[in-house]
Amino acid sequence: RFVMQYGVNKRLVTINPRDIMDIDTSGSTIIDGESRPEKNMSSPPLLAFWLMGMLTNTPYVILIAGAKSISEGSTALVFIANVLPSLLVKLSAPYWFHRVSYGSRIYSGAILMSLSFCSVAFFSSVYKSTTFELCGVALCSLQGGLGEASLLALGGYFGNNGTKCLTAFSSGTGLAGLVGFAYMMVLNQWMKLTFSNTLLLGNSLSVAYAFIFWKYLSKYCVEKVTGESVICSDGSPADVNGATNLLSNKLNIGSNDDTTRIVGEMEYESSTELWRSQQSSNKNSGNAIENIALLSFKQKTMLVLSLWPYMVPLFLVYCAEYALMSGVWTAIGFPTDDEAARNSFYQYSGWLYQLGVFLSRSSGTIFQASMTTLWIMPFLQVANLIFFYYNAISHFWYNWSLVIVCFYVGLLGGGVYVNGYIRINAEVPKWKREFALSSASVADSLGIAVADIIGLFLQSCLYKANGIGGSIVSCPI
C-alpha cells in the first residue's frame, strides 16, 4: 500500500490492489492507519454505524406509527407505500450501485427524508389528500432503500470487524422502532402536537443523517480508478508500478512529474502474494475476474439468486410479521368495536414488537444462529400469524397480555435479520461480499411488500368478522 502526493494542494491519493483511489483534500494524513477500516475499528465507526442504522429506519417507523392518521380504514396502504419504492431500489441496486458513490446515495437519502416529512405534513393539514400523503410516504421508502442497502454493503467491507459493524447497524435499525414510536407518542399524544407539526420536526433527523455519514463514514468510501465502481477501501496492499500507472492516467499527470512523489509505505503480507497469484491464475485460465463491475447483467442476476439460502428466511419472516402489523393487529382492541381501543393496542403492540427487534438485532456479537436455526425462526413467525388471526376472530385469549407475544414476534424478526447478514458476511467470498449484502436486502423488502397486500385483506376479513366498518377492500371469504 502506498500514498502519492502531488500538485499545489498536496492532495493525497491511496492505492490498493483493487485499483482503488482515495483523494483526501482535508490536509489530514492517510498513512497513519486512518483509512484502514479493518485495522482502525475504534468507537467512532461503530457508533456511526449504530446511529446511521437508527436514522435510516426512524422515518419509516414514524410514518408507520402514524399510519392511522394517514389512512384509518386502510393502514396497509401506508405500509405498501412505505415499502414498494424501497423494494424497487433494492431490486435494481445490483445493476447501478457500483456506478454511484456512497456519498451521493446517502445525501440523496437525506433530501428524500426531508421531502417526505414536509409533503406528508402539508397534505395532511393544509391540503388534505390521502393520495399525496401516500406519495410523501413513498419518498421516505426511497430513502430507506438507498440507506439500508448502502450501509449494509459498507459494513461488510470491514474485514474481520464486519460482524461488529453489521451488528451495530442492525442494532441501530432495531432501536429506530422504539425511537419512532416514542417520537410519535411523546410529541403527538402526550404533548398534543398536531400530526403535521410532529412530522415537520422530523427534518432534524435528515440533517443528522447527512452529517454523521459525512463526519465519520465518508472517509472509508473510495472510487475505483476505472471510474466504473464505487466501493469501500479494505486497506489491502498494492502493486506499486501498476498503481502508479493507473494513478497517472486517472489524474492526467506524467510519471516524471516533479510534483509527484511517494510519501507512503508498502506493506507485504501473506494475502498480497495470494491475491496476485489468484489474479495471475484467473488471467491464465480464463476464469472470471473478481470484479463485480465487470460482471454482465445475467451474471449479477445469477449471483443474486445464489443467495437464496439467506434470502428465503428473510422474506418469510418479514412477510409473516408485517402481515400481523399491517392487517391483524389493526383489528384488535379491548373492546374491539372501540376505535380508540384498537389504536391503543396498535401503538403498544408496535412498541413491544420493536423492543424485541432491538434486543435481538443487538445480539449479533453474542449469539450467532446456525443455518438450521435461521430457517426454523421464520416458520415460528408464520405460526404467530396464524395464532393472532384466529385469536382476533375467536377472542379465546383476548386481553393486554397479548403484547407479550408481540414482543416474541419482534425477537424472531430481529434475530433472522441480524443473523442472515452476519452469515453472508462470514460465508460469502470477500470480492462479492459488498454486492451480496446490498442485494440480499431485497428479500425483507419483498416480504414486507407481499405482507402489506395480504394485510389489506386480513384487515378487511377481521373487520367483517368483528362488525367493524371502514375497510377499502372486500373480504374474499
Side-chain angles (χ1 to χ4, degrees):
R1 153 197 169 86
F2 66 91
V3 181
M4 298 189 74
Q5 186 176 38
Y6 72 93
V8 178
N9 296 325
K10 292 183 170 53
R11 304 169 78 193
L12 294 177
V13 179
T14 303
I15 305 296
N16 75 17
R18 298 290 188 190
D19 299 332
I20 296 173
M21 180 182 75
D22 180 30
I23 300 178
D24 187 344
T25 58
S26 64
S28 62
T29 179
I30 298 182
I31 62 175
D32 60 356
E34 187 71 6
S35 65
R36 302 175 198 166
E38 82 284 1
K39 296 182 180 180
N40 185 36
M41 284 301 298
S42 57
S43 56
L46 290 177
L47 179 61
F49 270 106
W50 188 71
L51 290 173
M52 289 299 288
M54 180 190 70
L55 292 169
T56 295
N57 273 24
T58 295
Y60 169 85
V61 178
I62 288 175
L63 293 176
I64 291 301
K68 282 184 170 289
S69 298
I70 297 173
S71 179
E72 161 60 27
S74 54
T75 54
L77 280 179
V78 180
F79 280 76
I80 292 171
N82 216 355
V83 71
L84 279 184
S86 176
L87 174 61
L88 294 176
V89 168
K90 292 177 181 180
L91 279 173
S92 62
Y95 311 103
W96 63 272
F97 260 27
H98 63 284
R99 297 180 181 274
V100 182
S101 70
Y102 278 92
S104 296
R105 290 180 241 157
I106 297 300
Y107 300 140
S108 296
I111 294 172
L112 288 168
M113 187 190 304
S114 185
L115 289 174
S116 173
F117 283 136
C118 291
S119 58
V120 177
F122 178 81
F123 290 112
S124 67
S125 57
V126 179
Y127 181 79
K128 182 63 178 177
S129 171
T130 300
T131 300
F132 285 110
E133 283 184 89
L134 293 174
C135 290
V137 173
L139 295 177
C140 173
S141 181
L142 286 174
Q143 170 267 317
L146 283 170
E148 183 180 27
S150 298
L151 291 163
L152 283 170
L154 183 60
Y157 233 89
F158 280 73
N160 294 331
N161 289 296
T163 295
K164 294 180 181 179
C165 293
L166 291 172
T167 299
F169 178 77
S170 298
S171 175
T173 59
L175 180 64
L178 297 175
V179 171
F181 273 91
Y183 180 89
M184 288 299 296
M185 184 166 288
V186 171
L187 296 181
N188 187 231
Q189 296 186 20
W190 296 354
M191 296 182 66
K192 303 301 181 182
L193 290 181
T194 64
F195 180 61
S196 58
N197 286 338
T198 301
L199 293 180
L200 289 175
L201 288 176
N203 284 294
S204 59
L205 300 177
S206 62
V207 176
Y209 187 68
F211 174 79
I212 291 172
F213 177 83
W214 169 77
K215 181 69 175 178
Y216 297 109
L217 292 178
S218 61
K219 60 186 175 184
Y220 296 111
C221 302
V222 296
E223 184 176 358
K224 296 189 81 174
V225 172
T226 62
E228 294 296 325
S229 182
V230 180
I231 65 176
C232 174
S233 172
D234 62 356
S236 303
D239 179 86
V240 177
N241 294 330
T244 302
N245 293 334
L246 286 167
L247 178 64
S248 298
N249 293 336
K250 177 69 175 180
L251 300 176
N252 197 26
I253 58 176
S255 59
N256 295 324
D257 191 326
D258 56 12
T259 65
T260 303
R261 64 187 180 88
I262 295 178
V263 297
E265 60 177 345
M266 176 69 71
E267 296 178 351
Y268 287 93
E269 303 173 354
S270 59
S271 59
T272 311
E273 297 306 321
L274 175 61
W275 180 81
R276 288 177 182 162
S277 65
Q278 288 173 339
Q279 298 306 305
S280 176
S281 176
N282 285 338
K283 291 177 182 179
N284 294 333
S285 64
N287 292 339
I289 298 175
E290 294 181 350
N291 187 332
I292 292 295
L294 300 180
L295 296 180
S296 67
F297 181 91
K298 181 179 179 180
Q299 288 172 319
K300 289 179 180 178
T301 301
M302 295 305 295
L303 182 51
V304 172
L305 294 177
S306 72
L307 300 171
W308 70 266
Y310 314 100
M311 296 173 69
V312 171
L314 279 167
F315 168 82
L316 191 56
V317 78
Y318 271 84
C319 187
E321 66 191 59
Y322 273 81
L324 278 168
M325 286 191 289
S326 65
V328 180
W329 288 351
T330 63
I332 296 177
F334 317 112
T336 306
D337 57 1
D338 187 337
E339 181 180 336
R342 295 197 304 273
N343 290 344
S344 182
F345 180 82
Y346 181 79
Q347 291 286 339
Y348 283 102
S349 63
W351 262 86
L352 269 295
Y353 163 82
Q354 297 294 350
L355 177 60
V357 169
F358 169 63
L359 293 177
S360 57
R361 288 193 182 188
S362 303
S363 65
T365 56
I366 301 172
F367 168 77
Q368 295 178 17
S370 65
M371 185 61 78
T372 300
T373 303
L374 185 67
W375 274 77
I376 289 175
M377 289 191 285
F379 289 98
L380 294 175
Q381 199 75 297
V382 173
N384 286 332
L385 174 60
I386 296 171
F387 161 76
F388 270 104
Y389 183 81
Y390 179 71
N391 192 28
I393 295 175
S394 64
H395 298 184
F396 71 91
W397 174 10
Y398 209 68
N399 54 54
W400 279 105
S401 62
L402 279 175
V403 296
I404 298 174
V405 189
C406 299
F407 173 74
Y408 170 60
V409 169
L411 287 177
L412 289 176
V416 173
Y417 183 93
V418 67
N419 282 284
Y421 290 115
I422 285 177
R423 293 199 70 85
I424 291 174
N425 185 64
E427 297 171 1
V428 172
K430 186 176 182 180
W431 71 273
K432 57 183 178 181
R433 185 183 302 154
E434 180 185 14
F435 175 91
L437 285 164
S438 63
S439 300
S441 65
V442 72
D444 55 80
S445 291
L446 183 60
I448 295 171
V450 172
D452 292 342
I453 296 172
I454 294 173
L456 276 171
F457 295 96
L458 290 178
Q459 183 184 33
S460 175
C461 291
L462 290 174
Y463 271 30
K464 177 182 177 181
N466 288 282
I468 305 170
S471 297
I472 65 168
V473 297
S474 299
C475 177
I477 57 176

